[in-house]
């Protein structure tokens, strides 16, 4: 979409929008309930707001960001009339029954089993702290953790584990990200296809429909939302042993020579990162971060990368109807992009040099992904990607193929189809590999917005 | 088939309770079980709440029945009413003008339903001529072939043509599947001639009226712009309780229902324009968009626009694949111009320019408009709830390819 370049108020935008702080290898997510609104506001406005990392600041040794859920806004004293200016999906939260059906939070992933979020354990405020290393993070926590008199009580502490560029299943992650027009840290070396209008991620700027996303108002500040974003947090437990042992057990039935061959087809990239569309037979280190490919153009029938593969449905690139391969198809996908900012948790399973490979014995440790994404419209972006592309067994004309990694596979959706000649291989009865164990929607205010919350009376 | 009947004073809650109970199990409920009625694709029963029209006149609550029947519809309707006459009698007893002989009265129900039945202003069918039984049978065929491929790994060593030959031989020798060897019966010659006659005669009629239309066009355009500039278009947010009621009915499977109702904008210009556009849409979907593709949208099974209340209001009802959000996004991204042409005649629609532009492209205002006007579909029946429109089209192509001329390799890619 051709639009005049916009300048973002980077100093008022929280830094997480500009960067995942990759060089800060240690991080912790702390969740709180507001126990004393006045004290919490005071802490927010006086202590935290000045310490927040903005999107213009260079990432040096530590970073600090904060996000607040709908219940948090309410408990901090945002009036009901103001709260109703936030989108309904944010107010409802992630765990409403309809949302659970759509997002695939059913069965073992149902919110009634969650450790936090939903109705299980209310979460009002999310504090995200980053540092160069564990020692730095300790110091950073001591400096910024709200004191006992700050009106906040901690309900969950979510640690992270630095697996380098890989996620717990052992695949390189975070290769393909949208670039936010006007935020230089995200647009460096970005492909034109990935350039997205800032209003898809930051309130107060034009979006892909060339309109301003609605901005919620708080206490006489009609533009409270400006420079803010909606933050999705999902704690996703990963059954790494289950995944690789399944790949080992089923590879032969899928006509494949090794567990890696099958696992890569389920993911759509090799563990090293090379996309199957470009490197269908083997992992190619030179293509580890290669991203300049399309699906319809390079592999319309899915003979290289199956239609149902995780990355092909999480970002279908040029492959959607009505005119696959066209600029129109690419533009449609631009309206459903999310900025991913999550981190892994739990120690690696298996040999750390090769990554996890079968046979594996589950060590009983909890591990997975703290999935975090940012977007301006939770329904059109995160929920659409998760519901219509990832969770739906009907994606792109499929019949019963939910996402092989993330999807719900019972009672329907447990098929994985691998196109081939003369005909496909079909795996059925996929087990569950990923289980949601917590989640909530948050608002990531602009820094002035955080101060305003602190000034509420 | 659309049946609209006003409710008797004070019977709304009773009717609602009946429908909500039936809606828990549309296929096999005690009131009107839909399962097993041949030739029904989808059916719905819902209530339109009492309203006040734009001139302040009250409109009573109404019961609406809509069904997507295979042609001919009448015998199927008869069977549907006859086999659950007791339920129909109980339900229709809530309606104004329904009289039964006391006790279950299938004849009275059928007569009443026929009397209250009206035509749709426009009716989209994903694939004209594809029957409900055919959709179900072809899905079974596809499942059987898939299972056969899984069970015969030796086939992997064959050539594509060899695989298809083996599959075809197997189908031919199967008592349950041999029907699939021949293509579905083509529509009757009479029907095809009728469609051709309609295609030609309407086009000729348009040709005859063309000079008049050219003369009137500038005046119509002027009136259009004047209306577009002055029509109020407030962005009204859906009430959270209403939205929750709608959401509770959605995403229980891959196919969803949508029912919305709204007033036309006042005055003769919008009344005329709405009818003209719906006439064009009816013509377009009958002769052009009748093959699994509505101007780029391939996820709609059936859709209809129906005038009610003497043309004061319009009902839009459809069956579609995926979530309501993806449905609305499809509207905006693919057929926004077409929706603008129709819905911009509806009160409260986001502002359009030259009928086709703007409107749906005010993304959130458009989504709010649809959600505000949507009504709960208390009873919604789907004969093949696990099949997407793309699945049905693919199954039909698989069946044709069993003995057809499609290249074997391409045919196998459909599996």
């Amino acid at each position: 979409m051709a639009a005049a370049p916009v300048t973002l108020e980077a100093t008022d935008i929280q830094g997480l929008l500009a960067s995942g702080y990759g060089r800060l290898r240690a991080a912790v997510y702390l969740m709180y309930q507001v126990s004393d609104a006045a004290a919490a506001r005071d802490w927010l406005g006086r202590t935290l707001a000045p310490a927040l990392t903005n999107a213009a600041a260079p990432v040096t040794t530590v970073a600090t960001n904060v996000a607040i859920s709908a219940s948090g806004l309410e408990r901090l004293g945002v009036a009901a009339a103001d709260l109703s200016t936030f989108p309904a999906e944010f107010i409802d939260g992630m765990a409403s029954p309809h949302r659970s059906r759509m997002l695939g939070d059913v069965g073992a992933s149902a919110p009634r089993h969650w450790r936090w979020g939903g109705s299980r354990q209310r979460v009002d405020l999310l504090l995200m702290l980053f540092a160069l290393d564990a020692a730095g993070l300790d110091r950073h926590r001591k400096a910024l953790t709200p004191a006992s008199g700050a009106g906040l009580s901690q309900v969950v502490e979510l640690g992270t584990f630095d697996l380098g560029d890989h996620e717990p299943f052992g695949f390189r992650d975070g290769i393909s990200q949208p670039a936010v027009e006007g935020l230089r840290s995200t647009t460096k070396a970005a492909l034109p296809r990935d350039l997205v209008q800032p209003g898809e991620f930051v309130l107060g700027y034009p979006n892909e429909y060339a309109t301003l996303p609605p901005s919620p108002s708080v206490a006489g500040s009609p533009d409270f939302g400006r420079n803010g974003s909606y933050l999705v947090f999902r704690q996703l437990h990963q059954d790494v042993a289950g995944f690789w042992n399944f790949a080992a057990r089923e590879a032969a039935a899928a006509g494949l020579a090794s567990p890696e061959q099958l696992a890569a087809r389920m993911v759509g990239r090799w563990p090293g990162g090379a996309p199957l569309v470009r490197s269908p037979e083997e992992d190619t280190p030179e293509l580890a971060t290669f991203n300049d490919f399309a699906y319809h153009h390079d592999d319309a029938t899915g003979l290289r990368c199956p239609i149902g593969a995780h990355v092909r449905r999480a970002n279908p690139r040029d492959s959607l109807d009505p005119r696959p391969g066209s600029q129109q198809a690419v533009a449609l996908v631009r309206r459903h992009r999310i900025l991913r900012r999550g981190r892994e948790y739990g120690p690696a399973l298996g040999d750390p040099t090769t990554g996890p490979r079968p046979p594996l014995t589950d060590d009983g440790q909890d591990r997975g992904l703290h999935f975090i994404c940012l977007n301006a419209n939770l329904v059109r972006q995160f929920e659409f990607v998760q519901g219509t592309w990832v969770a739906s067994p009907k994606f792109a004309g499929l019949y019963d193929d939910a996402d092989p990694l993330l999807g719900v596979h019972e009672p329907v959706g447990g098929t994985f189809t691998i196109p081939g000649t003369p005909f496909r291989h079909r795996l059925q009865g996929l087990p569950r590999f990923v289980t949601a164990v917590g989640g909530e929607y948050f608002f990531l205010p602009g820094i002035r917005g955080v101060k305003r919350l602190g000034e509420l009376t | 088939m659309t049946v609209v009947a006003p409710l008797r004073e004070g019977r709304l809650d009773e009717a609602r309770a009946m429908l909500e109970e039936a809606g828990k199990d549309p296929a096999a409920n005690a009131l009107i079980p839909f399962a097993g009625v041949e030739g029904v694709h989808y059916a719905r029963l819902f209530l339109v709440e009492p309203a006040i029209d734009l001139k302040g006149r009250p409109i009573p609550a109404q019961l609406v029945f809509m069904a997507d029947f295979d042609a001919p519809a009448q015998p199927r309707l008869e069977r549907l009413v006859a086999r659950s006459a007791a339920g129909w009698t109980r339900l229709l007893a809530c309606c104004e003008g329904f009289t039964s002989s006391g006790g279950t009265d299938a004849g009275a129900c059928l007569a009443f339903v026929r009397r209250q039945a009206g035509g749709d202003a426009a009716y989209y069918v994903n694939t004209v001529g594809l029957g409900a039984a055919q959709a179900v049978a072809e899905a079974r065929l596809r499942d059987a072939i898939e299972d056969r491929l899984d069970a015969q790994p030796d086939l992997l060593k064959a050539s594509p043509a060899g695989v298809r030959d083996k599959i075809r031989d197997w189908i031919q020798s199967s008592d349950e599947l041999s029907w699939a060897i021949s293509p579905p019966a083509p529509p009757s010659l009479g029907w095809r001639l009728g469609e051709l006659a309609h295609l030609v005669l309407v086009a000729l009629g348009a040709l005859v009226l063309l000079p008049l239309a050219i003369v009137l066009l500038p005046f119509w355009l002027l009136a259009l712009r004047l209306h577009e500039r002055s029509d109020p278009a407030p962005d009204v947010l859906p009430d959270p309780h209403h939205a929750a009621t709608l959401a509770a009915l959605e995403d229980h499977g891959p196919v969803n229902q949508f029912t919305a109702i709204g007033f036309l904008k006042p005055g003769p210009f919008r009344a005329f324009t709405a009818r003209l556009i719906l006439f064009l849409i009816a013509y377009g979907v009958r002769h052009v968009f009748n093959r699994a593709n509505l101007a780029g949208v391939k996820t709609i099974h059936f859709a209809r626009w129906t005038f009610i209340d003497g043309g004061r209001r319009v009902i839009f009802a459809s069956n579609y694949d995926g979530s309501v959000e993806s449905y609305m996004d499809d509207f905006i991204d693919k057929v926004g111009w077409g929706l603008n042409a129709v819905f911009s005649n509806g009160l409260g629609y986001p502002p359009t320019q030259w009928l086709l532009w703007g409107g749906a492209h005010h993304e959130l205002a458009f989504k709010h408009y649809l959600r505000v006007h949507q009504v709960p579909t208390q009873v919604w029946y789907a004969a093949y709830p696990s099949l997407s429109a793309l699945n049905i089209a693919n199954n039909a192509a698989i069946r044709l390819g069993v003995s057809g001329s499609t290249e074997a390799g391409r045919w196998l890619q459909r599996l």
Side-chain angles (χ1 to χ4, degrees):
Chain A
M1 179 173 301
V6 285
T7 312
L8 305 195
E9 286 181 280
T11 55
D12 192 49
I13 294 171
Q14 293 204 50
L16 197 63
L17 270 155
S19 155
Y21 308 122
R23 56 176 266 130
L24 305 179
R25 324 262 351 178
V28 67
Y29 306 110
L30 300 162
M31 310 236 184
Y32 299 91
Q33 288 183 355
V34 175
S35 51
D36 177 338
R41 288 196 299 260
D42 194 57
W43 174 82
L44 208 54
R46 288 173 199 260
T47 307
L48 189 66
L52 289 174
T53 307
N54 69 53
V59 178
T60 54
T61 58
V62 294
T64 309
N65 287 130
V66 70
I68 298 155
S69 70
S71 65
L73 291 173
E74 189 183 356
R75 283 179 167 76
L76 284 169
V78 171
D82 284 338
L83 206 56
S84 70
T85 64
F86 285 82
E89 56 275 13
F90 170 72
I91 296 169
D92 288 351
M94 190 187 286
S96 70
H98 171 244
R99 224 145 245 125
S100 295
R101 284 198 297 277
M102 194 171 56
L103 300 177
D105 291 339
V106 296
S109 288
R112 67 175 183 280
H113 304 305
W114 286 2
R115 300 169 194 170
W116 60 271
S119 55
R120 286 283 295 174
Q121 178 77 283
R122 197 189 84 228
V123 170
D124 294 337
L125 185 142
L126 163 66
L127 181 61
M128 296 168 277
L129 302 177
F130 307 83
L132 282 172
D133 52 29
L137 188 63
D138 271 350
R139 287 194 298 277
H140 192 39
R141 281 183 71 160
K142 286 204 177 79
L144 271 179
T145 304
S148 58
L152 293 164
S153 53
Q154 183 180 307
V155 288
V156 185
E157 168 181 340
L158 298 173
T160 64
F161 196 94
D162 180 17
L163 295 175
D165 297 324
H166 290 62
E167 53 69 61
F169 288 135
F171 286 78
R172 184 181 293 275
D173 197 11
I175 303 166
S176 182
Q177 291 269 25
V180 187
E181 291 257 32
L183 271 185
R184 212 173 325 135
S185 58
T186 67
T187 55
K188 276 180 299 195
L191 299 164
R193 180 186 65 223
D194 290 328
L195 277 174
V196 179
Q197 289 295 309
E200 293 292 307
F201 305 102
V202 195
L203 306 190
Y205 306 93
N207 62 18
E208 284 288 324
Y209 287 104
T211 55
L212 294 179
S215 179
S217 65
V218 165
S221 173
D223 211 6
F224 169 78
R226 185 174 174 83
N227 296 321
S229 185
Y230 292 96
L231 183 150
V232 177
F233 198 126
R234 287 166 72 77
Q235 184 178 356
L236 302 174
H237 168 81
Q238 294 177 234
D239 180 3
V240 176
F243 174 74
W244 279 103
N245 292 340
F246 172 84
R249 199 170 63 238
E250 299 292 332
L256 297 166
S258 69
E260 285 90 343
Q261 292 275 346
L262 175 54
R265 277 166 180 77
M266 292 165 75
V267 173
R269 286 185 183 265
W270 294 91
L276 265 75
V277 162
R278 275 306 162 89
S279 184
E281 298 304 327
E282 60 188 358
D283 206 343
T284 309
E286 302 82 67
L287 295 174
T289 58
F290 185 78
N291 202 30
D292 189 8
F293 63 91
Y295 291 113
H296 182 82
H297 181 265
D298 296 328
D299 180 34
T301 56
L303 283 170
R304 293 166 161 230
C305 176
I307 308 292
H310 171 67
V311 300
R312 188 166 181 152
R313 58 202 302 154
N315 177 8
R317 297 172 185 235
D318 68 334
S319 64
L320 295 186
D321 277 338
R323 290 169 51 228
S326 67
Q327 280 306 308
Q328 184 195 6
V330 173
L332 289 186
V333 169
R334 266 205 297 271
R335 293 168 175 175
H336 307 285
R337 298 298 302 270
I338 51 176
L339 269 175
R340 289 175 297 146
R341 293 290 186 247
R343 293 200 174 210
E344 293 74 35
Y345 72 93
L349 184 67
D351 182 344
T353 53
T354 62
R357 289 296 180 279
L360 286 171
T361 308
D362 188 27
D363 58 3
Q365 298 260 18
D366 186 19
R367 58 173 58 80
L369 179 68
H370 293 312
F371 172 89
I372 295 175
C373 78
L374 299 167
N375 50 189
N377 185 325
L378 290 162
V379 178
R380 173 160 59 80
Q381 295 170 269
F382 164 69
E383 289 183 357
F384 187 100
V385 173
Q386 173 75 20
T388 300
W389 291 346
V390 170
S392 169
K394 301 293 183 185
F395 171 74
L398 295 168
Y399 285 73
D400 182 48
D401 298 38
D403 187 296
L405 287 189
L406 287 183
V408 178
H409 301 140
E410 279 183 286
V412 294
T415 303
F416 181 54
T417 307
I418 306 173
T421 46
F423 56 88
R424 89 291 175 281
H425 280 283
R426 178 168 75 149
L427 299 179
Q428 289 183 292
L430 264 66
R432 176 191 288 278
F433 301 118
V434 173
T435 307
V437 296
E440 194 50 275
Y441 291 152
F442 296 90
F443 185 62
L444 182 87
I447 291 170
R448 279 197 304 269
V450 176
K451 288 184 184 141
R452 275 176 196 147
L453 287 175
E455 292 157 3
L456 283 179
T457 50
Chain B
M1 167 77 56
T2 298
V3 178
V4 183
L7 293 183
R8 291 181 210 270
E9 189 77 31
R11 303 295 285 274
L12 177 59
D13 288 341
E14 187 189 336
R16 194 190 334 265
M18 259 189 260
L19 293 188
E20 283 178 353
E21 181 58 32
K24 291 175 188 165
D25 188 359
N29 68 85
L31 189 73
I32 301 169
F34 286 98
V37 183
E38 267 179 41
V40 185
H41 296 255
Y42 296 93
R44 70 184 72 195
L45 282 158
F46 61 93
L47 295 167
V48 179
E49 302 284 325
I52 304 290
D53 81 0
L54 304 181
K55 292 182 176 152
R57 294 170 298 188
I59 303 176
Q62 294 167 87
L63 171 72
V64 182
F65 168 67
M66 289 176 164
D68 304 299
F69 284 124
D70 287 336
Q74 283 306 326
R76 306 185 197 285
L77 177 70
E78 272 169 43
R79 230 163 299 152
L80 177 66
V81 172
R83 69 200 283 276
S84 41
W88 281 103
T89 308
R90 273 175 58 209
L91 182 63
L92 297 181
C94 298
C95 296
E96 198 70 61
F98 175 74
T99 46
S100 76
S101 56
T104 297
D105 190 342
C109 290
L110 193 62
F112 182 76
V113 165
R114 284 198 173 132
R115 193 164 72 239
Q116 300 296 132
D120 300 307
Y123 182 42
Y124 170 71
V125 177
N126 180 281
T127 302
V128 172
L130 203 158
Q134 183 190 342
V136 172
E138 287 174 348
R140 239 183 6 244
L141 171 73
R142 181 258 173 193
D143 289 349
I145 298 175
E146 296 280 12
D147 289 345
R148 184 78 179 173
L149 292 178
D150 286 341
Q152 303 260 304
D154 282 357
L155 286 177
L156 282 165
K157 301 189 191 87
S159 68
V163 176
R164 181 161 67 177
D165 287 347
K166 287 230 163 60
I167 294 286
R168 183 196 303 137
D169 293 346
W170 169 69
I171 290 172
Q172 202 146 26
S173 65
S174 156
D175 289 344
E176 274 158 30
L177 298 176
S178 56
W179 54 266
I181 289 297
S182 44
S188 69
L189 186 65
W191 181 84
R192 277 181 292 160
L193 286 176
E195 290 301 290
L196 186 65
H198 184 269
L199 176 75
V200 172
L201 287 175
V202 171
L204 280 178
L207 209 60
V208 170
L209 290 173
L210 190 62
L212 183 66
I214 289 173
V215 172
L216 293 178
L217 184 65
F219 299 97
W220 180 82
L221 284 174
L222 182 68
L224 173 69
R225 287 304 292 151
L226 288 174
H227 278 89
E228 286 182 336
R229 280 155 180 265
S230 61
D231 287 340
D235 182 1
V236 180
L237 294 179
D239 168 69
H241 180 73
H242 177 66
T245 306
L246 297 173
L249 298 172
E250 288 168 353
D251 295 317
H252 293 279
V255 191
N256 274 310
Q257 48 67 35
F258 186 92
T259 310
I261 179 164
F263 281 102
L264 283 184
K265 288 169 179 167
F269 175 79
R270 290 298 187 179
F272 166 77
T273 303
R275 278 172 179 77
L276 174 68
I277 298 297
L278 284 171
F279 178 80
L280 294 175
I281 287 179
Y283 186 76
V285 299
R286 184 163 173 180
H287 299 295
V288 184
F289 300 119
N290 56 11
R291 283 266 168 268
N293 187 346
L294 179 56
V297 179
K298 302 177 183 176
T299 50
I300 301 178
H301 296 255
F302 294 89
R304 48 159 55 86
W305 283 270
T306 309
F307 286 102
I308 62 166
D309 305 328
R312 282 173 288 173
R313 287 194 288 180
V314 179
I315 298 176
F316 172 71
S318 64
N319 306 289
Y320 65 95
D321 298 324
S323 71
V324 71
E325 178 69 15
S326 67
Y327 187 48
M328 295 192 293
D329 283 338
D330 272 352
F331 278 169
I332 299 170
D333 294 335
K334 297 169 189 170
V335 288
W337 56 273
L339 287 185
N340 287 348
V342 191
F343 283 108
S344 68
N345 301 296
L347 194 69
Y349 192 76
T352 49
Q353 291 87 42
W354 302 105
L355 199 65
L356 305 181
W357 285 272
H361 297 101
H362 301 276
E363 180 215 352
L364 289 175
F366 171 73
K367 290 175 178 174
H368 295 156
Y369 171 84
L370 289 187
R371 219 49 174 159
V372 163
H373 289 85
Q374 200 181 341
V375 297
T377 305
Q378 282 93 0
V379 180
W380 180 63
Y381 169 72
Y384 36 81
S386 64
L387 295 177
S388 70
L390 283 172
N391 291 160
I392 293 168
N394 191 53
N395 293 344
I398 289 171
R399 186 256 187 96
L400 285 178
V402 168
S403 49
S405 55
T406 328
E407 195 260 316
R410 290 188 51 192
W411 180 74
L412 285 168
Q413 278 173 5
R414 294 187 170 278
L415 292 156

